[in-house]
Amino acid sequence: MSAQAHGIAAYAGNIALLTDGEKIVERLLRAGLMARASDIHLDPQEDCLRVRLRIDGQLEDFLELPPSVQTTVTGRLKVLASLDIAEKRAPQDGAFSWSLPAALSAGHSAIDVRIATLPVRHGERVTLRLLEKDAKRLTLDELGMSADDRLAFDAVLKRPHGLVLLTGPTGSGKTTTLYATIGELLRADEKKNILTVEDPVEYDIPGVAQAEVDSADKVNFSKALRSLLRHDPDVIMIGEIRDADSLDVAVKASLTGHLVLSTLHANSAKSSVTRLTGMGLDPALVPATLRLAVAQRLARRLCPCCRKRGETGFEPVGCPDCDNRGYRGRIGLFSLYSPDGGLETSMEKDAADKVRGGVTSFAEALKCCPSPETLSSCLVSLSEKTS
Ligand SMILES: [Zn+2]
């Protein structure tokens, strides 16, 4: 789909005519917000500065700026984030807050921007991650868990202790689910003492003590983790279990009466067990520690205004409502595994239900599911049931 087809295309044309770094940066951020982009990428090429937006997980071409504005645009971004303007040969990272003038905000007003630069062949590559400050946090109900998965998940949250893990690749929505879970725990009991250790803290959660650590600083990460238990928590959220230190604290906390929430890089819910034992967890402790592992992927939601029925469920079409993408927003696909409860649910089954219901397309489900064969057979058995 070309950028011309999108509602923000007129914007792209205007930005390409500007020469002032400050104005270009302001318009790029505004365009990012309008397009609901999670990231803006600036890639210096030999003959242009290529600008792309990541929208619903897909990287899309937005516009090409002349190479002559590269230095002024990068310079302006570095000033905003208090980075070293003169340093062009080393990667840098930082952050800044940015507000739209109220008259233009249209529901959006302020964002936190995380910036990273990287020297490449034709200049400096810049990635901007956009975090809307006052965006409405999703609740567990809005993530898309099936009724059965949700019941199992709720049952685990009601138990006072144990480890609950969210697994999936980067960008699969694990953090959103963690935040939604904490929101749910607070709704159930606002007096709960909830502590988090995060790298970095993405959003403020009122009523929760959030410790921010820098992953480059291993000492502080360990220290923060170890001090957690001295603050008499009911619930602990550790941004990620990524080494023996964080695993050790998570296990100790879960065995001593705390509910521990965290994320782990594992391919499936069940394989998180292998991952944990690989990191040094005694296999005998798995059933006592790990209450539930949840694997998660994000599939794009079909635009309800233009989707049409096809051979395998519904297919995307494209209309002004979805900027001609055929999709708008995303939904979680889940599978659950519990070593002590004998519970194991299938992501393919969850995906098949959502394809069948027209929430997402077969093509999107295929991208998310580990086994395309299982997905197809789930769909076949669903259609046999209904016909
Ligand atoms: Zn549409």
Side-chain angles (χ1 to χ4, degrees), residues 303 306 318-319 322:
C303 171
C306 61
C319 72
C322 56

Side-chain angles (χ1 to χ4, degrees), residues 136-191:
K136 188 182 150 295
R137 296 282 85 79
L138 290 176
T139 65
L140 278 183
D141 288 332
E142 292 162 324
L143 299 177
M145 264 188 210
S146 70
D148 286 351
D149 282 355
R150 183 61 201 281
L151 270 178
F153 195 72
D154 281 349
V156 167
L157 294 187
K158 287 202 180 89
R159 295 173 71 170
H161 56 90
L163 176 61
V164 177
L165 284 177
L166 273 302
T167 74
T170 306
S172 57
K174 302 186 295 271
T175 310
T176 303
T177 305
L178 275 185
Y179 278 63
T181 306
I182 290 178
E184 191 71 25
L185 290 167
L186 280 175
R187 249 188 307 283
D189 178 4
E190 61 183 22
K191 293 190 204 78

Side-chain angles (χ1 to χ4, degrees), residues 4-250:
Q4 274 66 34
H6 299 159
I8 52 169
Y11 230 84
N14 287 335
I15 299 172
L17 298 173
L18 299 171
T19 53
D20 178 68
E22 195 173 331
K23 283 208 179 93
I24 295 175
V25 165
E26 200 253 352
R27 299 285 170 90
L28 287 180
L29 291 171
R30 213 194 286 180
L33 266 181
M34 284 166 61
R36 301 180 301 111
S38 58
D39 306 80
I40 302 176
H41 293 248
L42 305 169
D43 268 303
Q45 311 285 308
E46 192 174 2
D47 54 352
C48 71
L49 178 63
R50 181 183 189 198
V51 181
R52 288 179 295 173
L53 305 177
R54 189 175 292 283
I55 301 164
D56 290 338
Q58 311 280 313
L59 205 49
E60 296 186 7
D61 283 329
F62 179 52
L63 81 154
E64 291 181 354
L65 291 168
S68 54
V69 302
Q70 194 197 131
T71 317
T72 165
V73 168
T74 312
R76 172 63 184 158
L77 287 165
K78 285 180 172 176
V79 167
L80 284 169
S82 307
L83 302 182
D84 183 351
I85 307 179
E87 177 58 81
K88 294 176 181 174
R89 291 173 180 277
Q92 299 187 63
D93 61 85
F96 61 92
S97 292
W98 182 79
S99 302
L100 260 183
L104 301 167
S105 66
H108 317 284
S109 52
I111 42 172
D112 284 324
V113 183
R114 293 186 189 274
I115 172 171
T117 71
L118 180 72
V120 291
R121 194 164 140 74
H122 297 291
E124 281 180 283
R125 189 188 196 292
V126 181
T127 306
L128 305 170
R129 162 139 294 195
L130 313 181
L131 300 163
E132 250 186 272
K133 269 185 180 168
D134 37 11
K136 188 182 150 295
R137 296 282 85 79
L138 290 176
T139 65
L140 278 183
D141 288 332
E142 292 162 324
L143 299 177
M145 264 188 210
S146 70
D148 286 351
D149 282 355
R150 183 61 201 281
L151 270 178
F153 195 72
D154 281 349
V156 167
L157 294 187
K158 287 202 180 89
R159 295 173 71 170
H161 56 90
L163 176 61
V164 177
L165 284 177
L166 273 302
T167 74
T170 306
S172 57
K174 302 186 295 271
T175 310
T176 303
T177 305
L178 275 185
Y179 278 63
T181 306
I182 290 178
E184 191 71 25
L185 290 167
L186 280 175
R187 249 188 307 283
D189 178 4
E190 61 183 22
K191 293 190 204 78
K192 268 207 163 73
N193 185 16
I194 303 180
L195 298 177
T196 76
V197 179
E198 297 169 75
D199 169 27
V201 169
E202 286 195 18
Y203 296 107
D204 289 332
I205 319 173
V208 174
Q210 296 171 278
E212 181 165 65
V213 290
D214 179 352
S215 55
D217 191 348
K218 265 211 82 162
V219 180
N220 269 341
F221 187 68
S222 291
K223 268 192 183 163
L225 281 173
R226 305 217 167 263
S227 71
L228 273 182
L229 290 176
R230 288 181 220 123
H231 292 271
D232 185 28
D234 299 307
V235 179
I236 293 171
M237 189 264 260
I238 299 170
E240 184 188 350
I241 293 182
R242 58 180 180 205
D243 53 21
D245 275 347
S246 39
L247 174 63
D248 189 48
V249 172

